[in-house]
Amino acid sequence: MNTAPRPNAQDPRVIRTRQLIHQSFVELLQTKEFNEITVSDITRRATINRVTFYTHYTDKYELLEYMISTQLIQLLYKGIDPQQALSAEALTTLICALCNYHEYSSSQCPKNFDSLSPLVEKNMKSQLQQHMLQQLTRHLPDQDEAQLVPLSAMISWSLYGATLQWNLEQKDRRETSQQLASRIVPLLMSWMTMSGIEYPISNQLPAAATSNTILPTSVCLSQWSESYELKTSI
């Protein structure tokens, strides 16, 4: 296990090296199963040595987790103001983003969809729950945390599970992600009411999704390479 101090993330050379690692990893995912990819594969494609890789990441699992937690989650939350109340519009945006993610990753990344799904699901559920808990705590400072923690888990896991099921039923589906949101959001409101929580959430859903509401579908691992602009040199 690598216990050495991690390099300064603001150093241009570090940024450049990590960009090379990320881009190489993404490219490998297009041609090989995740379970078949080795650290040697990544370093060879990135033209770095193994020591350099281990300076930044413990293994490929930590690399994957980092990319999910930083790149993918940022894309999911694009357009959502964390300072605003957990409004129906914000929930709709999040639901549509999750639907887009599931749909795109299963259709455009079928090679690694099954092997990566458990890892992605675990990370995304955790990230979603943290986001929900922060929202609830911020706007309900007097509420007992014992109520907010399970409620945040219920909301986040429900959002992920419902949107995943929506995608699995894609062949027989005639429902849009916006229509799915219009069914889910009222249920979330009811759960909160049943939990005895009065939360400032609007009962009115957006009439239609716009380009500001539905996030781009490019949230698959294969699209991350587009965000890496290799402008600096090692």
Side-chain angles (χ1 to χ4, degrees), residues 41-102:
D41 292 332
I42 299 172
T43 57
R44 187 162 45 248
R45 182 176 287 263
T47 62
I48 61 174
N49 58 50
R50 290 170 60 89
V51 174
T52 301
F53 177 90
Y54 288 121
T55 300
H56 296 271
Y57 302 103
T58 303
D59 50 33
K60 66 177 182 179
Y61 295 95
E62 184 183 17
L63 170 59
L64 176 65
E65 183 176 347
Y66 172 82
M67 295 181 72
I68 293 172
S69 62
T70 56
Q71 302 295 328
L72 184 56
I73 298 302
Q74 287 177 14
L75 288 170
L76 283 177
Y77 291 156
K78 182 180 180 182
I80 298 178
D81 185 352
Q83 301 302 320
Q84 291 183 346
L86 197 58
S87 65
E89 183 176 1
L91 285 171
T92 298
T93 300
L94 192 54
I95 290 170
C96 291
L98 285 167
C99 286
N100 288 336
Y101 160 72
H102 291 307

Side-chain angles (χ1 to χ4, degrees), residues 70-148:
T70 56
Q71 302 295 328
L72 184 56
I73 298 302
Q74 287 177 14
L75 288 170
L76 283 177
Y77 291 156
K78 182 180 180 182
I80 298 178
D81 185 352
Q83 301 302 320
Q84 291 183 346
L86 197 58
S87 65
E89 183 176 1
L91 285 171
T92 298
T93 300
L94 192 54
I95 290 170
C96 291
L98 285 167
C99 286
N100 288 336
Y101 160 72
H102 291 307
E103 187 174 38
Y104 194 92
S105 61
S106 62
S107 62
Q108 299 299 318
C109 302
K111 191 175 186 65
N112 278 287
F113 182 74
D114 291 337
S115 60
L116 292 180
S117 287
L119 299 173
V120 173
E121 178 175 342
K122 178 181 178 181
N123 195 291
M124 288 186 66
K125 281 182 177 179
S126 175
Q127 294 285 344
L128 284 169
Q129 182 173 356
Q130 290 179 31
H131 173 72
M132 292 299 170
L133 183 58
Q134 289 173 359
Q135 289 278 356
L136 293 170
T137 303
R138 178 181 297 112
H139 298 288
L140 298 169
D142 298 328
Q143 192 69 44
D144 186 358
E145 185 177 355
Q147 281 186 293
L148 297 183

Side-chain angles (χ1 to χ4, degrees), residues 180-214:
L180 175 67
S182 69
R183 291 194 297 107
I184 293 179
V185 173
L187 291 176
L188 295 178
M189 298 178 189
S190 298
W191 284 344
M192 297 177 74
T193 300
M194 291 172 62
S195 300
I197 294 178
E198 296 295 333
Y199 191 80
I201 185 169
S202 170
N203 289 321
Q204 184 176 2
L205 290 168
T210 66
S211 59
N212 294 326
T213 300
I214 296 183

